[in-house]
């Protein structure tokens, strides 16, 4: 498991600077090599081929035709000028020749225009398709990445850069590549025509664009380095944007009056970004201006040399005029080529981010196909045993689990209790195959579990911080078993088991109601109602191993009591691991593990643990006493001295939490 080494250099917002990496191997500091340029082009051409080969061929064919047309145009121009200069002396046939040449010019120009129009339409569709093709690859890789990678800031930088690149760069590279093909072909055609007239000037023409090309290359390298340095700052800024403009934090930000503070931080981040960009741009704008002047001076010298040869009688005037036109065309093409190559160069670095990110399990630090959440029909186990599991979160100072051993038999209800931060959820995540242990092993019917994906497929987890999908109720439940069409009856049964049937019935469009006010006709639920849907999702998943991490934290006392009273019936035939702070909920479990500071300190049945009179017994009595006192007080305060209904029996059967 990869651990990110970072300095603890943090800013006022509490975020570490991306430039502060210890290892000094910041990829963004590197220059784009010719090899990377070729790889980027090959990557895009492959993507374009896979996305829409018919359009790709069409666009290239049009470029080829346009280029040939351009070469012919130059030669026709020379003939037209030659005819024009001789019209006075040669009478009607010369005039006819001039008119024919002009007609030829018009036809060529018009055909070129039509072809370009058709081609630009194809180009537009092609770029959108390439865009989708590449973005799909990035999203697929992100969804398949191991959960542990999301703890690693370097992974977020890579992901962010890949998303940025796949959003913005394919269009640039496809357009630039097509432009490059066009520029190269037309350059070849015009050069051929030019060479017929003044071949010896060709090398000087190429020379005129060199300073501009070099300045552009320096700028793109600097731009990419800057982009790398700004990556983490941009993530912080985007996070602040989500807070300020999103629904999730809206009420708390208003309640706290936090808006201006967050806005100031956002302004600060943007100011840093703008200052760095302005500094880089102004330096390179100066360099580019000087390079441009140098290039133009070379170009003017070439034109002057040509006219000197006309004066000295080495070249005819019509040829010189056509050659000057061709020279202008050539210079524009070379400049265009430089411009598009520069664009490809700039994109090459970004496209490398995409290639690296989408490459399975290589440079991404472990992106692997088996990390997919795709549901496959699981087989159950007779026994799941964890032996001396040790685990530290990436970048954490100490282990969250230390030599933890637990045992779960098929059909058992196992409970884990312990103070905040004692490692309960971490243990659950390892048992569900979401993280791989650093030490120890997981045994499934006595054999080591080779692939965490097997555990994931066999598990249904209701997390403490379950996700609330802003989609329909049906989706929220049926996502428990992705990949197959939602089964309406099973969805309804899962909702009923989770006590969500009544909630759904009260919604305007039942199971088709979208659960967010951000969308037309949407509705929202209370936290407890959302929790019932999360439970329904677990029922629907129908996996042999169910993990309930504080599944009733937001449920009302009746719903909570119902769930735990009927847990064995509801999850019949399945193994259930329950994490809870309410000891009354776990007392009926087959075995209870008590955790403290990442270790299992006690285990046994409720009776055994009470008899051993350890931490469990102490905390159980604490909760029971607190309830008893409250119950007695209420009983005394209630009219007629009676205790309120539903809160008295069972000692610790109501809401009481660990201190
Ligand atoms: N994603 C994470 N990255 C780094 N450290 C983490 C992460 N999640 C938890 N920890 C740390 O690991 C330890 C165990 O956390 P865990 O969530 O397993 O505790 P818990 O017993 O479930 O706590 P609670 O009762 O509050 O839910 C804690 O010290 C916590 O700070």
């Amino acid at each position: 498991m990869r651990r990110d080494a970072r300095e603890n250099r943090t800013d006022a917002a509490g975020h570490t600077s991306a430039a502060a990496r210890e290892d000094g191997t910041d990829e963004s500091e590197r220059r784009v090599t010719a090899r990377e340029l070729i790889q980027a082009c090959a990557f895009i051409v492959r993507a374009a081929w896979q996305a829409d080969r018919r359009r790709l061929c069409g666009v290239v064919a049009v470029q080829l035709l346009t280029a040939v047309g351009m070469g012919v145009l130059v030669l026709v121009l020379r003939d037209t000028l030659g005819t024009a200069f001789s019209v006075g002396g040669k009478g009607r046939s010369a005039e006819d020749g001039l008119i024919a040449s002009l007609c030829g010019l018009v036809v060529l120009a018009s055909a070129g225009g039509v072809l370009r129009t058709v081609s630009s339409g194809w180009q537009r569709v092609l770029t959108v398709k390439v865009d989708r093709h590449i973005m799909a690859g990035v999203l697929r890789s992100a969804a398949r990445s191991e959960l542990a990678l999301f703890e690693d800031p370097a992974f977020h930088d890579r992901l962010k850069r890949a998303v940025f690149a796949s959003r913005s760069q394919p269009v640039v590279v496809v357009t630039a590549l097509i432009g490059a093909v066009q520029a190269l072909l037309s350059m070849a055609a015009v050069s051929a025509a030019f060479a017929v007239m003044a071949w010896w000037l060709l090398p000087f023409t190429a020379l005129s664009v060199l300073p501009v090309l070099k300045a552009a290359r320096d700028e793109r390298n600097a731009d990419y380095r800057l982009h790398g340095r700004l990556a983490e700052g941009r993530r912080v800024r985007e996070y602040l944007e989500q807070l300020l403009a999103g629904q999730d934090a809206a009420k708390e930000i208003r309640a706290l009056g936090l808006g201006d503070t967050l806005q100031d931080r956002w302004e600060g981040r943007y100011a840093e970004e703008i200052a760095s960009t302005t500094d880089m741009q102004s330096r390179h704008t100066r360099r580019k201006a000087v390079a441009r002047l140098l290039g133009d001076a070379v170009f003017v010298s070439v034109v002057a040399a040509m006219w000197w040869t006309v004066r000295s009688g080495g070249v005819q005037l019509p040829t010189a005029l056509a050659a000057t036109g061709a020279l202008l065309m050539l210079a524009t093409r070379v400049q265009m080529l430089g411009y598009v190559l520069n664009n490809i160069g700039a994109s090459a670095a970004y496209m490398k981010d995409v290639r690296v990110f989408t490459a399975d399990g290589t440079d991404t630090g472990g992106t692997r196909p088996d990390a997919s959440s795709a549901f496959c029909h699981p087989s159950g186990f007779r026994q799941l045993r964890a032996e001396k599991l040790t685990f530290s979160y990436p970048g954490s100072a100490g282990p969250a689990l230390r030599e933890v051993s637990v045992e779960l038999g098929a059909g058992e209800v196992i409970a884990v209790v312990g103070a905040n931060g004692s490692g309960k959820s971490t243990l659950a995540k390892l048992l569900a195959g979401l993280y791989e242990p650093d030490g120890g092993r997981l045994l499934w019917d006595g054999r080591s579990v080779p692939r965490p994906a097997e555990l994931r497929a066999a598990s249904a987890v209701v997390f403490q911080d379950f996700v609330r999908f802003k989609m329909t109720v049906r989706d929220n439940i049926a996502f428990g078993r992705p990949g197959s069409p939602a089964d309406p009856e099973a969805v309804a049964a899962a909702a009923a088991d989770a006590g969500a049937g009544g909630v759904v019935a009260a919604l305007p469009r039942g199971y088709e109601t979208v659960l967010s006010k951000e969308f037309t006709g949407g509705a929202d639920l209370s936290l407890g109602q959302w929790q019932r849907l999360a439970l329904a999702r677990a029922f629907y998943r129908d996996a042999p191993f169910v993990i309930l991490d504080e599944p009733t934290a937001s449920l009302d006392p009746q719903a909570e009591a119902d769930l735990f009273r009927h847990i064995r019936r509801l999850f019949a035939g399945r193994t259930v691991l329950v994490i809870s702070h309410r000891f009354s909920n776990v007392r009926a479990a087959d075995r209870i593990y008590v955790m403290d500071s990442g270790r299992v300190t006690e285990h046994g049945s409720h009776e055994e643990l009470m008899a051993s009179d350890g931490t469990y017994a102490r905390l159980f009595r604490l909760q029971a006493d607190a309830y008893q006192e409250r119950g007695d007080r209420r009983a005394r305060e209630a009219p007629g001295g009676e205790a309120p209904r539903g809160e008295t029996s069972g000692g610790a059967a109501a809401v009481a939490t660990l201190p």
Side-chain angles (χ1 to χ4, degrees):
M1 198 170 291
R2 196 171 168 279
R3 295 280 183 266
D4 188 41
R6 296 171 63 82
E7 285 177 15
N8 283 331
R9 208 187 299 166
T10 48
D11 67 4
H15 295 105
T16 312
S17 155
R21 300 244 164 76
E22 235 176 33
D23 54 13
T25 55
D26 190 346
E27 268 182 277
S28 61
E29 292 301 328
R30 296 195 307 102
R31 281 164 177 262
V32 180
T33 61
R35 193 159 167 262
E36 284 166 1
L37 202 83
I38 294 166
Q39 282 175 334
C41 293
F43 180 71
I44 285 288
V45 170
R46 210 170 32 246
W49 181 257
Q50 285 163 355
D52 191 343
R53 64 195 65 174
R54 210 164 52 85
R55 275 200 178 77
L56 178 68
C57 293
V59 168
V60 173
V62 168
Q63 303 308 328
L64 196 67
L65 279 175
T66 315
V68 171
M70 199 161 281
V72 174
L73 200 76
V74 170
L75 294 176
V76 171
L77 183 72
R78 187 189 61 173
D79 289 349
T80 309
L81 287 170
T83 315
F85 279 105
S86 60
V87 162
K90 292 196 180 156
R92 255 195 106 67
S93 68
E95 276 177 33
D96 290 347
L98 179 61
I99 290 169
S101 298
L102 282 172
C103 287
L105 271 179
V106 171
V107 168
L108 276 173
S110 163
V114 170
L115 279 177
R116 273 195 300 279
T117 309
V118 173
S119 166
S120 70
W122 288 346
Q123 241 182 77
R124 181 136 173 63
V125 177
L126 183 66
T127 47
V128 174
K129 287 192 168 181
V130 173
D131 210 10
R132 187 204 57 183
H133 185 81
I134 291 176
M135 191 60 166
V138 171
L139 292 178
R140 207 174 301 121
S141 285
R144 288 178 175 185
S145 295
E146 291 289 350
L147 187 59
L149 283 172
F150 286 84
E151 311 274 340
D152 179 359
F155 170 78
H156 285 279
D157 280 351
R158 283 199 298 275
L159 174 57
K160 169 93 187 132
R161 293 212 306 251
V163 169
F164 170 82
S166 51
R167 267 204 197 122
S168 58
Q169 301 306 305
V171 179
V172 176
V173 183
V174 172
T175 314
L177 267 180
I178 292 167
V181 170
Q182 190 195 19
L184 270 173
L185 291 174
S186 51
M187 263 171 65
V190 176
S191 300
F194 188 83
V196 172
M197 300 178 281
W199 62 267
W200 50 274
L201 283 177
L202 270 179
F204 295 101
T205 316
L207 209 65
S208 71
V209 290
L210 281 185
V212 178
L213 291 187
K214 183 180 177 315
R217 194 197 61 185
D218 291 349
E219 184 188 19
R220 88 174 178 233
N221 283 331
D223 188 52
Y224 181 66
R225 284 196 297 274
L226 178 69
H227 184 73
R229 281 198 299 277
L230 293 179
E232 185 154 334
R234 281 191 181 140
R235 277 196 287 119
V236 174
R237 174 166 64 71
E238 282 168 14
Y239 170 64
L240 292 167
E241 283 164 15
Q242 273 171 28
L243 286 180
L244 284 163
Q247 191 196 354
D248 294 344
K251 61 177 181 302
E252 201 148 339
I253 286 174
R254 276 151 190 78
L256 290 168
L258 197 55
D260 288 345
T261 308
L262 294 180
Q263 178 93 26
D264 287 348
R265 288 199 178 180
W266 179 86
E267 297 278 4
R269 284 283 163 182
Y270 233 140
E272 279 173 25
E273 199 174 321
I274 289 171
S276 308
T277 311
T278 312
D279 180 48
M280 193 277 287
Q281 277 304 332
S282 52
R283 252 182 303 126
H284 285 275
T285 304
R286 278 197 299 275
R287 285 188 203 174
K288 277 196 309 188
V290 172
R292 181 67 209 241
L293 287 175
L294 258 175
D296 286 353
V298 176
F299 181 77
V300 169
S301 314
V302 170
V303 175
M306 175 128 62
W307 285 100
W308 180 77
T309 54
V310 171
R311 294 208 141 214
S312 59
V315 177
Q316 297 294 311
L317 186 61
T319 305
L321 281 173
T324 309
L327 192 61
L328 270 171
M329 266 189 208
L330 203 55
T332 334
R333 299 293 140 187
V334 176
Q335 250 170 37
M336 180 177 158
L337 185 66
Y339 174 74
V340 293
L341 284 181
N342 184 46
N343 278 351
I344 296 174
S347 296
Y350 295 109
M351 292 318 297
K352 180 164 186 265
D353 293 336
V354 177
R355 282 189 295 111
V356 167
F357 190 80
T358 49
D360 277 344
T362 51
D363 293 347
T364 59
T367 303
R368 293 206 307 244
D370 87 339
S372 162
S373 59
F375 184 80
C376 52
H377 280 287
S379 54
F381 52 78
R382 285 187 305 284
Q383 187 199 51
L384 179 63
R385 197 145 52 89
E387 278 184 6
K388 297 192 168 187
L389 293 187
T390 300
F391 178 75
S392 300
Y393 284 99
S396 299
L401 293 184
R402 300 160 198 262
E403 303 204 332
V404 169
S405 298
V406 295
E407 201 178 301
L408 299 101
E412 285 185 329
V413 175
I414 302 295
V416 183
V417 296
N420 290 133
S422 56
K424 305 180 293 297
S425 300
T426 308
L427 173 63
K429 286 185 229 169
L430 262 69
L431 291 176
L434 293 169
Y435 290 102
E436 287 184 68
D438 300 331
R441 47 188 200 151
L442 277 168
L443 298 169
W444 177 307
D445 291 339
R447 73 177 170 94
S448 278
V449 179
R451 295 190 327 137
E454 275 187 65
L455 281 174
R456 285 198 287 271
S459 313
V461 191
V462 177
F463 292 102
Q464 246 175 327
D465 50 351
F466 52 85
V467 61
R468 300 184 230 175
F469 295 103
K470 293 177 180 180
M471 299 183 195
T472 62
V473 176
R474 188 181 308 286
D475 285 339
N476 266 280
I477 298 174
F479 279 179
R481 219 186 294 159
S484 49
D487 172 352
E489 281 177 23
V491 167
D497 284 346
V503 176
V504 181
L507 289 170
R509 299 188 58 214
Y511 285 96
E512 299 312 321
T513 310
V514 175
L515 295 177
S516 171
K517 289 274 180 75
E518 284 174 36
F519 303 107
T520 313
D524 209 347
L525 299 178
S526 75
L527 194 56
Q529 290 167 336
W530 270 111
Q531 190 155 37
R532 287 173 200 238
L533 286 193
L535 267 170
R537 190 156 54 237
F539 281 118
Y540 186 79
R541 188 166 175 83
D542 200 19
F545 180 31
V546 179
I547 297 177
L548 305 173
D549 191 350
E550 288 289 342
T552 56
S554 307
L555 295 192
D556 59 58
Q558 187 63 57
E560 180 177 30
D562 286 348
L563 177 72
F564 282 106
R565 200 174 310 129
H566 303 302
I567 198 162
R568 284 184 200 273
R569 179 180 59 75
L570 289 170
F571 292 104
R574 284 171 254 181
T575 308
V576 182
L577 180 85
V578 186
I579 297 173
S580 182
H581 287 296
R582 295 175 195 170
F583 283 36
S584 55
N585 289 336
V586 302
R587 61 182 294 172
D590 294 300
R591 219 165 20 266
I592 300 163
Y593 289 89
V594 183
M595 293 193 68
D596 184 24
S597 307
R599 293 182 197 281
V600 170
T601 51
E602 294 168 30
H603 71 275
S605 66
H606 170 76
E607 289 72 26
E608 287 165 351
L609 290 170
M610 290 306 285
S612 68
D613 202 21
T615 310
Y616 177 87
R618 184 175 60 80
L619 292 173
F620 185 89
R621 279 196 290 269
L622 199 68
Q623 286 193 348
D625 289 349
Y627 167 74
Q628 200 63 52
E629 275 171 25
R630 238 181 292 160
D632 290 350
R633 196 170 57 242
R634 285 191 203 174
R636 280 194 302 276
E637 287 165 6
E642 277 182 25
R645 233 182 120 234
E647 290 195 6
T648 52
S649 62
V655 182
T657 51
L658 264 177

